[in-house]
Amino acid sequence: MNSPTKNRNIRQRMNAWLLNQADRIMDRVYGARKRAIFSQLPQTVVEIGPGAGANLRYYAPRTRVIAIEPNRALHPALTERARRYGLDLEIHPIRGENIDLPDQSAPAVVGSLVLCSVSDPDRVLSEVRRILAPGGRYLFIEHVAAMPGTPLRGIQQQLRTLWRWLFDGCHLNRDTHLAIQHAGFARVDMDCFTLQSSWLPFAPHIFGWALNG
Ligand SMILES: C[S@@+](CC[C@H](N)C(=O)[O-])C[C@H]1O[C@@H](n2cnc3c(N)ncnc32)[C@H](O)[C@@H]1O
């Protein structure tokens, strides 16, 4: 194995460990909002980049979860959490840019803190629209770039390269809110919020849903 690939694998394993440890904190930070938007999910859900399974506790028992998760180091934690919450999990070890599911086959798609990490967010959003059934919803919660011209945006710019390297490709300064608004959904219902520790470089967030026409 060459050394860039080896380094990448080590960082992927490190991030898998971090995501696993962060589960309780994430529930404290995002739990109420996730419960609000995930409460009406259908029996089958496609989740893009579920990581260690931070969202699984919010799905109704026996929900069929199709997980699009390329980092294999996360699969054991994901499998264990699905078992704990009584879910029917199917892992596809692929990227969200090329999803191996038929057109219009998914009643709902979920993504949390994932469009910051994918290589091509527009391509992932186009795949989300392709697989969503007519009238299906894409539910999202994402950290985003701070407003242009703010000190936090400057900090995001400064930190972006190191951050991307440390956190397995995570981009601090993506205008994900614009990408979702311009992805061609029939309707988008989006709210913004900032983490209590508003100085954190990933403090600005969006959450909501988008409806496939
Ligand atoms: C910051 S973690 C978030 C994990 C989880 N969704 C959560 O809320 O805790 C980003 C996740 O996206 C996954 N990911 C990275 N690139 C991806 C891609 N191209 N397609 C799908 N998932 C991807 C990573 O493996 C990781 O699980």
Side-chain angles (χ1 to χ4, degrees):
M1 195 183 292
N2 66 26
S3 135
T5 312
K6 196 170 158 197
N7 279 343
R8 178 95 213 278
N9 285 345
I10 291 170
R11 278 180 286 130
Q12 283 197 328
R13 281 209 295 274
M14 220 173 73
N15 274 284
W17 181 84
L18 264 179
L19 284 175
N20 221 350
Q21 301 305 309
D23 188 58
R24 277 216 192 115
I25 301 172
M26 297 223 259
D27 182 46
R28 263 207 313 275
V29 176
Y30 301 115
R33 288 185 176 90
K34 285 183 177 175
R35 279 188 194 92
I37 55 170
F38 294 177
S39 59
Q40 304 294 325
L41 280 169
Q43 200 52 40
T44 299
V45 172
V46 175
E47 184 167 342
I48 316 285
N55 295 327
L56 300 190
R57 68 176 74 209
Y58 311 111
Y59 298 149
R62 290 183 294 284
T63 298
R64 178 170 177 241
V65 181
I66 303 172
I68 308 298
E69 179 48 72
N71 182 352
R72 289 174 189 269
L74 287 159
H75 294 181
L78 195 53
T79 305
E80 154 54 22
R81 271 200 194 123
R83 194 196 51 73
R84 192 188 310 163
Y85 296 114
L87 305 171
D88 172 13
L89 178 73
E90 182 181 310
I91 303 180
H92 295 214
I94 56 166
R95 307 168 79 79
E97 285 85 349
N98 282 299
I99 302 178
D100 57 352
L101 295 173
D103 296 357
Q104 305 191 343
S105 59
V109 177
V110 165
S112 71
L113 312 179
V114 65
L115 289 181
C116 54
S117 296
V118 303
S119 313
D120 184 344
D122 294 335
R123 171 93 194 130
V124 172
L125 286 167
S126 132
E127 281 293 86
V128 168
R129 283 197 57 219
R130 181 186 66 75
I131 63 167
L132 263 179
R137 285 183 191 212
Y138 162 54
L139 278 60
F140 56 85
I141 182 157
E142 296 286 348
H143 69 81
V144 294
M147 297 276 280
T150 59
L152 190 57
R153 181 74 171 230
I155 293 169
Q156 290 179 331
Q157 287 292 117
Q158 294 296 319
L159 284 180
R160 68 188 194 285
T161 308
L162 174 66
W163 195 274
R164 211 165 53 220
W165 188 84
L166 281 176
F167 299 110
D168 195 23
C170 173
H171 292 70
L172 277 175
N173 57 343
R174 272 196 175 154
D175 291 317
T176 300
H177 47 302
L178 300 180
I180 294 174
Q181 267 156 1
H182 297 148
F185 289 101
R187 188 177 158 199
V188 177
D189 192 315
M190 185 185 295
D191 278 321
C192 309
F193 71 100
T194 302
L195 296 183
Q196 240 176 359
S197 310
S198 54
W199 49 269
L200 284 171
F202 56 95
H205 280 66
I206 52 166
F207 78 110
W209 51 265
L211 182 73
N212 209 26

